[in-house]
Amino acid sequence: MTQESPYGFETLAIHAGAAPDPATGARSTPIYQTTAYVFDDADHAASLFNLQDYGYIYSRLGNPTVSVLEERVAALEGGRGATATASGHAAQMLAMFTLMEPGASFVAANKLYGGSVTQFMRTFQKFGWDCEMVNVDDFAAVEAALKKPTVKALFCESLANPGGVISDLEPLAELAHAAGVPLIVDNTMASPALCRPFEWGADIVIHSTTKFISGHGNAMGGMVVDSGNFNWAQNDKFPSLTQPEPAYHGLNFFETFGDLAMTVHGHAVGLRDLGPTMAPMNAFLAITGSETLPLRMERHCQNAAEIVQFLNTHPKVAWVSYAGLEGNKYKPLADKYLGGKAGSVFTFGVKGGYEAGLKLVESCELFSHLANLGDTRSLILHPASTTHRQLTEEQQISAGAGPDVLRISIGLETAKDLIADLEQAMAGA
Ligand code: PLP
């Protein structure tokens, strides 16, 4: 279920959260490059600090430019509220910080961005949070993993990085809800232009706005979006939201803020105490990027489909994993959840394996060899030696990033130029 808006997606991408600046009339959202905000008087300051009044105190907790982006992404996802963070990884940490306690655990899909695997399996251990990875295509395995009493959430990517894999969100949401926990979906690779996980029962959406939402490869950022639908008081698993918070004189976030509890907690406790705040300049860049998200995603997908056709019939290509390809295992899920599109990030292997793949990457001229995706520019990468290199070979293979895998993020250039670049690079591979 989503929060409905009378406006279409393209209108929301341009207008949601933004209005002409009341002080100056500036039509474009100003960059409020300030750390703090003047109080009207002592009572006003006290009511802000007690969370009795809504307003700005200090930019670690909230900033007007950042708020516009938060409202924009919440609207695009059909969510109730959002908390922006300094990066996608910070968004994952912040969401888990609200839900987890030391000794708690969560279940995650085993096909995830490599950095997320490392964050979940290693770094989160330092907080006393455990993560069990399962193949989310195997519903019986998911159900069994969710049965553990310590489990607080199920996590997956809608369209999984490095590519070609789609999570079956509807049954996964049902399994999570039957276990009394929320389904958290990293929607970075699909973006809300292709997939809106709340429509399929997800409860929380995570973004690395660094990718398609910003779209220009120039600003780090993350977002935790709350659907506002999850009943945090249905069990005793979520004390941060349902028990008195000593730092706010015993305030109970769920009782006080209802469907905004997670979002208010994200700012008032998460950002306040952990501090991974998005910079106003980066929010401005993401706001600007978000205005063209629907148009960009359309062209990203169109270009990707053309490049996939070229690679799929090329004699030097061993395989292509793209959920939009006829015969791909995930094509029916692309049709159901992504409107028949499959994004612009995919993987393929060249004959000759590791060596030939690396040679191809190094021979590209138009494609940039770097570790990012969702840029206007086309990018190419060898995950096993870069983004997924911290993983064991077994983990790499299970994450779809084995030794022969190349990952491509197709940009917005002329498709025939991209094909020509791959053709010349392939000749040398
Ligand atoms: N989720 C996905 C799917 C990603 O691809 C990435 C980064 O590549 C992240 C999360 C982490 O985002 P960030 O790099 O903004 O911290």
Side-chain angles (χ1 to χ4, degrees):
M1 197 179 81
T2 54
Q3 308 285 331
E4 289 310 323
S5 163
Y7 291 116
F9 190 82
E10 290 78 3
T11 307
L12 292 174
I14 292 166
H15 292 285
D21 181 52
T24 62
R27 191 62 191 87
S28 175
T29 298
I31 305 166
Y32 287 94
Q33 196 68 47
T34 182
T35 50
Y37 307 83
V38 177
F39 306 122
D40 297 342
D41 51 37
D43 284 346
H44 178 226
S47 68
L48 287 173
F49 275 95
N50 284 342
L51 301 182
Q52 286 159 339
D53 213 352
Y54 176 78
Y56 298 102
I57 300 174
Y58 188 63
S59 281
R60 177 162 17 92
L61 287 82
N63 169 282
T65 313
V66 176
S67 298
V68 170
L69 182 66
E70 290 172 332
E71 262 192 68
R72 171 84 41 94
V73 178
L76 293 178
E77 287 289 358
R80 181 69 181 91
T83 311
T85 54
S87 68
H89 261 19
Q92 289 173 180
M93 177 184 69
L94 201 83
M96 290 303 177
F97 170 71
T98 300
L99 305 183
M100 306 287 282
E101 303 294 324
S105 69
F106 64 101
V107 178
N110 60 359
K111 291 199 172 58
L112 291 183
Y113 162 55
S116 299
V117 177
T118 309
Q119 185 190 43
F120 292 175
M121 302 301 281
R122 290 190 184 278
T123 304
F124 279 1
Q125 298 273 330
K126 290 201 160 193
F127 302 143
W129 307 342
D130 262 329
C131 172
E132 183 180 353
M133 299 220 140
V134 296
N135 173 1
V136 293
D137 294 343
D138 181 348
F139 298 145
V142 174
E143 192 175 14
L146 287 171
K147 280 213 164 80
K148 290 198 187 119
T150 52
V151 167
K152 311 273 191 184
L154 174 62
F155 185 101
C156 67
E157 292 177 7
S158 46
L159 176 61
N161 182 356
V165 173
I166 295 173
S167 301
D168 200 347
L169 300 179
E170 204 166 23
L172 290 175
E174 282 165 18
L175 289 171
H177 296 161
V181 300
L183 173 64
I184 306 178
V185 178
D186 179 343
N187 200 29
T188 298
M189 292 253 296
S191 93
L194 298 186
C195 176
R196 302 209 318 157
F198 296 149
E199 288 174 358
W200 305 103
D203 304 287
I204 294 163
V205 160
I206 301 285
H207 275 286
S208 164
T209 63
T210 316
K211 316 295 180 196
F212 291 102
I213 287 183
S214 279
H216 297 76
N218 56 13
M220 297 298 295
M223 195 69 70
V224 181
V225 191
D226 183 10
S227 68
N229 295 328
F230 196 81
N231 176 7
W232 302 107
Q234 67 184 275
N235 51 40
D236 57 5
K237 282 179 180 282
F238 309 103
S240 294
L241 295 174
T242 60
Q243 295 299 312
E245 167 62 50
Y248 285 106
H249 308 295
L251 179 110
N252 178 317
F253 276 86
F254 191 43
E255 260 176 34
T256 310
F257 299 108
D259 59 6
L260 273 171
M262 174 117 185
T263 300
V264 179
H265 189 276
H267 291 83
V269 182
L271 290 179
R272 186 196 62 177
D273 296 344
L274 300 176
T277 305
M278 181 182 279
M281 179 69 194
N282 284 2
F284 172 80
L285 291 168
I287 291 164
T288 307
S290 68
E291 292 173 6
T292 55
L293 175 70
L295 277 176
R296 283 187 288 107
M297 286 313 283
E298 210 171 292
R299 179 58 69 90
H300 274 300
C301 294
Q302 196 181 318
N303 269 0
E306 281 191 47
I307 311 305
V308 163
Q309 285 310 333
F310 160 75
L311 289 172
N312 201 34
T313 50
H314 196 283
K316 285 199 172 171
V317 172
W319 54 268
V320 179
S321 172
Y322 183 62
L325 260 182
E326 269 328 312
N328 182 288
K329 177 179 167 190
Y330 294 100
K331 175 82 169 69
L333 296 182
D335 291 343
K336 175 170 176 177
Y337 294 114
L338 280 78
K341 301 197 168 80
S344 83
V345 181
F346 61 90
T347 50
F348 69 103
V350 276
K351 290 176 185 160
Y354 191 93
E355 292 304 326
L358 273 186
K359 204 153 176 219
L360 188 149
V361 167
E362 286 177 345
S363 309
C364 283
E365 288 168 6
L366 201 49
F367 279 80
S368 302
H369 178 197
L370 56 76
N372 193 22
L373 55 90
D375 195 324
T376 52
R377 287 153 280 254
S378 290
L379 318 171
I380 191 163
L381 181 84
H382 179 240
S385 61
T386 53
T387 51
H388 290 64
R389 76 173 296 130
Q390 307 97 322
L391 310 187
T392 63
E393 188 168 329
E394 192 190 351
Q395 282 175 321
Q396 286 175 348
I397 291 167
S398 99
D404 65 327
V405 175
L406 294 175
R407 185 189 78 189
I408 269 189
S409 173
I410 296 294
L412 305 180
E413 302 95 332
T414 311
K416 79 171 175 38
D417 295 337
L418 298 174
I419 290 173
D421 192 34
L422 289 172
E423 183 79 275
Q424 69 77 24
M426 210 91 75

